[in-house]
């Protein structure tokens, strides 16, 4: 049975991915900042698979490495790494942007991905068919107004995915990226600082992607034959044509 290590597993795409993989033959290492939500996932997957949890913030380098090192011996062989943890903070013109928001996005979306990957790689290198899937965004390919730093952070995920694929080629580790468009999660609630009306408006008037849609794609990519690597996928709701072009009723 293969083991999947999933960051940002307490909500949205990460949670849906943990459930999808756990119910389809993967052992799960679910990671996040909120232990209560990790406990809920353990309860939901009870009887379906083996699961353990790690509580840490990907921004905190020391915590990341300590958490991975704390894994018990029977969890220290990882086949699949899902770098899902990420956030958008604010939607402001570069003149008005918050330095705290900038730091949060760079620290979580870029440095956090790097810290987790560096910590987990030693537990993957001896596994035939090991695979890393990074969750990027359409924002990493199409910059939009007031998205400046968020778009830059997701462009970095795109570049890192390509660089990691090159660097880890000789280690036999596949590297893929999924770049979703609009997915209905807590993403907008975080971006708009808890403003429920603003966040709901993002998803009104059309059928947005759901976290389960991305989770099913992760499962499909992770279960291809060893010689197949679906390296890069852009996935959008039917109503979305580009970052800011959405057909609403």
């Amino acid at each position: 049975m293969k083991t999947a290590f999933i960051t940002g597993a307490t909500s949205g795409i990460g949670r849906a991915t943990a459930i999808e993989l756990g119910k389809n033959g993967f052992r799960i290492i679910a990671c996040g900042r909120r232990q209560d939500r990790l406990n809920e996932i353990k309860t939901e997957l009870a009887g379906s698979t083996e699961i353990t949890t790690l509580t840490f913030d990907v921004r905190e380098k020391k915590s990341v490495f300590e958490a991975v090192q704390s894994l018990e011996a029977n969890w220290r062989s990882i086949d699949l790494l899902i770098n899902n943890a990420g956030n958008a903070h604010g939607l402001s013109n570069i003149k008005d942007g918050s330095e705290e928001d900038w730091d949060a996005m760079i620290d979580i979306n870029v440095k956090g991905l790097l810290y987790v990957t560096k910590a987990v790689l030693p537990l993957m290198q001896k596994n035939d068919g090991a695979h890393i899937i990074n969750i990027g965004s359409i924002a990493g390919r199409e910059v939009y107004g007031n998205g400046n730093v968020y778009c830059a952070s997701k462009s970095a995920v795109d570049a890192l995915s390509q660089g990691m694929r090159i660097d880890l080629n000789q280690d036999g580790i596949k590297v893929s990226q999924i770049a979703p468009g609009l997915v209905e999660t807590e993403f907008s609630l975080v971006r708009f600082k808890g403003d429920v009306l603003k966040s709901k408006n993002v998803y009104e008037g059309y059928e947005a992607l759901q976290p389960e849609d991305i989770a099913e794609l992760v499962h499909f990519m992770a279960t291809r034959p060893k010689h197949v690597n679906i390296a890069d996928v852009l996935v959008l709701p039917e109503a979305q044509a580009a970052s800011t072009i959405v057909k609403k009723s």
Side-chain angles (χ1 to χ4, degrees), residues 25-232:
F26 282 81
R27 301 165 79 228
I28 302 297
I29 304 172
C31 308
R33 292 180 294 115
R34 294 170 284 190
Q35 186 62 53
D36 58 331
R37 292 201 179 185
L38 293 174
N39 291 340
E40 290 172 6
I41 297 170
K42 287 184 80 169
T43 300
E44 186 162 349
L45 286 176
S48 298
T49 190
E50 295 177 67
I51 178 171
T52 191
T53 63
L54 295 176
T55 308
F56 63 88
D57 187 331
V58 298
R59 290 177 288 189
E60 298 173 4
K61 179 169 59 175
K62 187 170 181 284
S63 296
V64 170
F65 282 88
E66 286 179 349
V68 174
Q69 286 301 314
S70 75
L71 286 168
E72 295 182 5
N74 62 322
W75 288 99
R76 295 185 63 78
S77 179
I78 295 168
D79 303 281
L80 176 63
L81 167 60
I82 310 297
N83 277 314
N84 166 73
N87 266 325
H89 294 262
L91 187 66
S92 302
N93 189 287
I94 198 75
K95 300 189 300 291
D96 309 312
S98 156
E99 293 92 338
E100 290 77 16
D101 285 347
W102 296 349
D103 287 344
M105 288 184 280
I106 297 297
D107 288 348
I108 297 169
N109 299 349
V110 183
K111 293 165 69 177
L113 182 150
L114 288 168
Y115 295 157
V116 171
T117 302
K118 181 81 177 289
V120 171
L121 270 174
L123 308 184
M124 302 183 76
Q125 287 177 315
K126 294 181 181 178
N127 291 346
D128 194 36
H131 195 175
I132 298 171
I133 300 178
N134 296 325
I135 306 300
S137 170
I138 188 175
R141 304 168 191 234
E142 300 177 13
V143 177
Y144 51 84
N146 297 331
N148 39 71
V149 177
Y150 176 70
C151 293
S153 73
K154 287 301 184 176
S155 293
V157 173
D158 182 43
L160 285 169
S161 297
Q162 296 178 56
M164 288 162 62
R165 190 178 309 123
I166 293 166
D167 290 349
L168 298 175
N169 175 262
Q170 296 303 306
D171 294 281
I173 297 176
K174 295 193 283 191
V175 179
S176 307
Q177 178 188 203
I178 299 174
L182 288 157
V183 185
E184 191 172 3
T185 65
E186 295 177 359
F187 175 91
S188 291
L189 192 62
V190 173
R191 163 166 270 179
F192 295 122
K193 318 290 187 185
D195 188 321
V196 175
L197 290 178
K198 264 190 178 181
S199 64
K200 279 187 175 180
N201 184 59
V202 173
Y203 307 112
E204 286 182 346
Y206 69 101
E207 187 174 359
L209 293 171
Q210 297 301 307
E212 292 75 17
D213 296 321
I214 309 305
E216 288 175 5
L217 182 54
V218 169
H219 179 228
F220 180 79
M221 292 169 71
T223 53
R224 293 312 84 208
K226 182 187 171 186
H227 71 285
V228 177
N229 181 21
I230 301 174
D232 196 12

Side-chain angles (χ1 to χ4, degrees), residues 9-23:
T10 55
S11 65
I13 293 170
R15 187 184 195 283
T17 298
I19 300 301
E20 175 74 15
L21 295 179
K23 291 185 175 178

